[in-house]
Amino acid sequence: MKKLFLVAVLFGFNSVFAQEDVEFTSDNSWLKAGITTGIPVGDTSDASSFSLGLDLRGQYLINPNIGIGVASGYNHFFGEDNVDDFGVIPAAGFFRYYFTPNGLFLGTDVGYGFLTNVENNDGGLYVNPQIGYHNKDWNFYAYYQNTFAEYDVDVQNVGVGVTYNIRFK
């Protein structure tokens, strides 16, 4: 079921990106780069006490209120109680709704989370809803992240992040 949902979401994003005559300018598209920090929750809290990550995004504004794009990065979970460190590398599409040019936004990432340093588990469906504040240069947000990996393993994390907007010239 998770794989079917992932395929449906990816096909949905495909029709959004299939627009013709899209012009990328510094007013409607940019790279977002930043860091995240979080606290593992659920079963993940038994294996890790802290996470630190890198957040990378390419965004295109459909209009002043709706942004879409691709998201990736790396989330490193520091192991505890004789558990090795492990990580999640997301490969996702994202959607954001900006209520005003400066202020509140809501968004989510949906894609696949690749697990690193976890035996016999490649990963699974990745979701990352967010709520935050943005201005011309910065995004500050809180998030809940879950990778629904194989064998009923859910890698869950709540935290905060910040990204800087690097404009295309």
Side-chain angles (χ1 to χ4, degrees):
M1 184 66 179
K2 293 177 195 173
K3 290 180 182 181
L4 179 62
F5 176 74
L6 177 61
V7 169
V9 168
L10 291 177
F11 278 116
F13 272 114
N14 187 32
S15 64
V16 171
F17 289 116
Q19 300 174 4
E20 290 187 35
D21 300 327
V22 173
E23 183 178 347
F24 294 98
T25 69
S26 61
D27 292 331
N28 69 9
S29 55
W30 47 86
L31 177 67
K32 296 173 178 288
I35 58 171
T36 62
T37 185
I39 299 170
V41 295
D43 291 339
T44 310
S45 66
D46 295 336
S48 175
S49 59
F50 181 71
S51 72
L52 189 61
L54 174 65
D55 187 0
L56 296 172
R57 299 167 181 277
Q59 177 177 278
Y60 171 72
L61 285 176
I62 294 174
N63 63 44
N65 299 97
I66 297 175
I68 59 172
V70 293
S72 191
Y74 178 71
N75 297 302
H76 186 85
F77 292 83
F78 295 90
E80 66 178 8
D81 297 331
N82 297 320
V83 175
D84 291 336
D85 293 2
F86 58 97
V88 176
I89 300 171
F94 80 88
F95 172 86
R96 279 195 178 165
Y97 183 80
Y98 300 99
F99 291 91
T100 60
N102 292 303
L104 181 68
F105 74 83
L106 294 175
T108 192
D109 305 349
V110 178
Y112 192 87
F114 297 93
L115 298 182
T116 63
N117 204 31
V118 176
E119 289 186 32
N120 301 320
N121 201 328
D122 294 330
L125 176 65
Y126 170 87
V127 294
N128 182 10
Q130 305 167 359
I131 183 169
Y133 170 83
H134 75 100
N135 62 32
K136 181 180 176 186
D137 295 319
W138 294 95
N139 302 269
F140 304 93
Y141 57 92
Y143 67 88
Y144 165 76
Q145 188 179 89
N146 194 347
T147 301
F148 298 93
E150 299 170 324
Y151 313 113
D152 293 325
V153 173
D154 291 346
V155 180
Q156 301 176 57
N157 185 21
V158 295
V160 294
V162 60
T163 58
Y164 181 74
N165 296 330
I166 303 167
R167 287 176 173 58
F168 299 129
K169 300 281 181 193

